[in-house]
Amino acid sequence: MTTAPTLAESMRGAVLTEADASYDEARQIWNGMFDRRPGLIARCTGAADVIAAVNYARENNLVIAVRGGGHSFPGYSVCEGGLMIDLAPMKSVRVDPVALTVRAEPGVLWGEIDREAQSFGLAMPGGMISHTGIAGLTLGGGFGWLCRKHGLVIDNLISCDVVTAEGKLVRASETENPDLFWGLRGGGGNFGIVTSFEYRLHPLGMVLGGMIVYPLAEAAQVVGGYNRLMKDAPDDFNAGAFMLTTPDGHQGIGIAPSYFGNDFVVGEKIVEPFRKLGTAVMEQVGPMPYTVVQQILDGAAVPHRRYYMRSNLMDDLSAGAISALADGYARTPSPLSAVVIVPFGGAVARVPADATAFYHRDANYSMTLLGAWESAGDDEANVSWIRAVWDNLQPYLGKGVYVNELLDEGTDRIKSAYGPTYDRLTALKKKYDPANLFRMNQNIQPA
Ligand SMILES: Cc1cc2nc3c(=O)[nH]c(=O)nc-3n(C[C@H](O)[C@H](O)[C@H](O)COP(=O)(O)OP(=O)(O)OC[C@H]3O[C@@H](n4cnc5c(N)ncnc54)[C@H](O)[C@@H]3O)c2cc1C
């Protein structure tokens, strides 16, 4: 039997039970499909609180859920019973504009780190939606608008402070515990709880960005053309492709170009052919701050809706794949759902596959079917829709998946995120967490 005071006495932050007024807010996460009730919620304010919470969970055999920004698709940041280690109060961000680095705590969201970095004319290559947490996103690998120019988030990670399953605080970097540092860069929350991330920053002024929308009926021509153009695109340029429903109810294809070079005349020349892929029904592309680019997609992933998804990496967007996606999207039961296609390439692909635990660097695209709807009564229709589109896509999928875009899909799918690096990860897990204390995640079993 666990009691709150024991943990509460060893923490600076609050320990919540269901009797507390803020309990319901603290247990709520981005994906409204998960309405779990932790036994205790440890609202951590620093590494000492995280150590106390880890020790308490281990000594009392409690399941642990770790919450950074709370955007886990499969809801792993909240548990039924057990202990939710809530890092959301840990919000410090410190930019060093001389060293071009930033140190941030794990409750920080991308919009928050972007704001601090941009006030010094700097940018962190981070995720594409401003309300996602830096912690979970970084530990899976992390792609974003800047990844073709500056690599994945983990390619810009310098060091981490980590609380291990034993309750010890260790540093991981290229020179300190380099094996742990390798595993943290893609291996998710399997090896410990990160209490501080140190990243490299890059100078960045205004960006050429925005959105062009074409009718879904032109999918073959528009997405096919997009695929051809992206093959020759420079690292300074990125563009997502989305199947979506516009606010006035039309199904369309959104192409979101973003140019990160200094010369907008050059940028305009790169963007121009993306404006001519079909019959544009909306076009808004122009100079804007990076913080605005980082929020362009926020409205498509509103917190607390109900979400279900399937995702895979893709080598190519063949005519068959585009047709399976467009025919599938045309039948979506919810206008809030989307198909999300994001390119890799550039700096992502230049890092050797075994340099970090993020293996699939040669994939050309990440493709996600994202079902979104408001009411539990619509669960079955939306989940069935995703599954049917997914079945039709099978012949066209690449060989792996991005670990942060998995639901609870079983060990084979986790293995497909890591390919041949999986065995190295199981050995590392045995070293740092042999009892699998951190198991509410895309779990790597100790060897
Ligand atoms: C709206 C939305 C947009 C997204 N956009 C992108 C994107 O552009 N690029 C991209 O790469 N991914 C993206 N993702 C996927 C994203 O990387 C994962 O959902 C990620 O887990 C979110 O991190 P979080 O801290 O918000 O989540 P949380 O739910 O808080 O954490 C997820 C898991 O990460 C682990 N974890 C969290 N914090 C820590 C910590 N400090 N130490 C150890 N383990 C920890 C835990 O296992 C936890 O269950 C997006 C997801 C959503 C929902």
Side-chain angles (χ1 to χ4, degrees), residues 29-30 65-73 75-77 87 106 109 126-129 131-139 141-144 188-190 192-195 197 301 402 404-405 440-442:
I29 59 168
W30 173 80
V66 179
R67 183 200 201 277
H71 276 47
S72 161
F73 286 115
Y76 289 149
S77 27
L87 309 169
L109 311 179
M128 291 174 147
I129 290 196
H131 48 73
T132 316
I134 63 164
L137 190 144
T138 298
L139 295 170
F143 62 77
N190 273 285
I193 300 185
V194 177
T195 57
F197 295 88
Y402 170 38
N404 273 358
E405 290 180 333
M440 207 166 158
N441 46 36
Q442 299 300 346

Side-chain angles (χ1 to χ4, degrees), residues 11 13-14 42-47 49-51 53 84-90:
M11 287 205 17
R43 301 267 296 159
C44 298
T45 56
D49 282 355
V50 176
I51 291 170
M84 179 178 187
I85 299 185
D86 181 6
L87 309 169
M90 295 175 66

Side-chain angles (χ1 to χ4, degrees), residues 122-284:
L122 299 170
M124 173 58 222
M128 291 174 147
I129 290 196
S130 73
H131 48 73
T132 316
I134 63 164
L137 190 144
T138 298
L139 295 170
F143 62 77
W145 296 115
L146 278 168
C147 71
R148 292 167 50 80
K149 181 165 183 165
H150 295 303
L152 297 172
V153 176
I154 51 171
D155 301 331
N156 295 278
L157 187 63
I158 301 168
S159 72
C160 294
D161 292 348
V162 188
V163 175
T164 65
E166 285 181 302
K168 295 215 169 87
L169 186 74
V170 299
R171 171 73 61 90
S173 69
E174 289 288 3
T175 52
E176 291 170 87
N177 301 301
D179 58 345
L180 178 60
F181 191 54
W182 175 86
L184 289 173
R185 287 175 293 166
N190 273 285
F191 307 108
I193 300 185
V194 177
T195 57
S196 179
F197 295 88
E198 184 190 8
Y199 303 102
R200 205 166 295 117
L201 294 172
H202 304 270
L204 184 65
M206 293 289 277
V207 176
L208 199 56
M211 182 81 83
I212 309 161
V213 180
Y214 297 100
L216 185 67
E218 296 182 1
Q221 171 190 339
V222 172
V223 183
Y226 159 87
N227 184 38
R228 275 191 298 282
L229 290 171
M230 283 314 297
K231 281 181 180 155
D232 295 325
D235 296 359
D236 272 344
F237 181 80
N238 201 342
F242 311 92
M243 293 180 186
L244 43 73
T245 305
T246 60
D248 58 357
H250 293 98
Q251 292 189 325
I253 305 195
I255 303 287
S258 48
Y259 170 73
F260 298 101
N262 296 324
D263 186 344
F264 281 11
V265 176
V266 172
E268 280 290 353
K269 280 194 185 130
I270 301 167
V271 171
E272 197 51 25
F274 288 86
R275 291 191 166 107
K276 295 178 177 154
L277 289 170
T279 323
V281 292
M282 192 283 282
E283 198 229 286
Q284 269 186 341

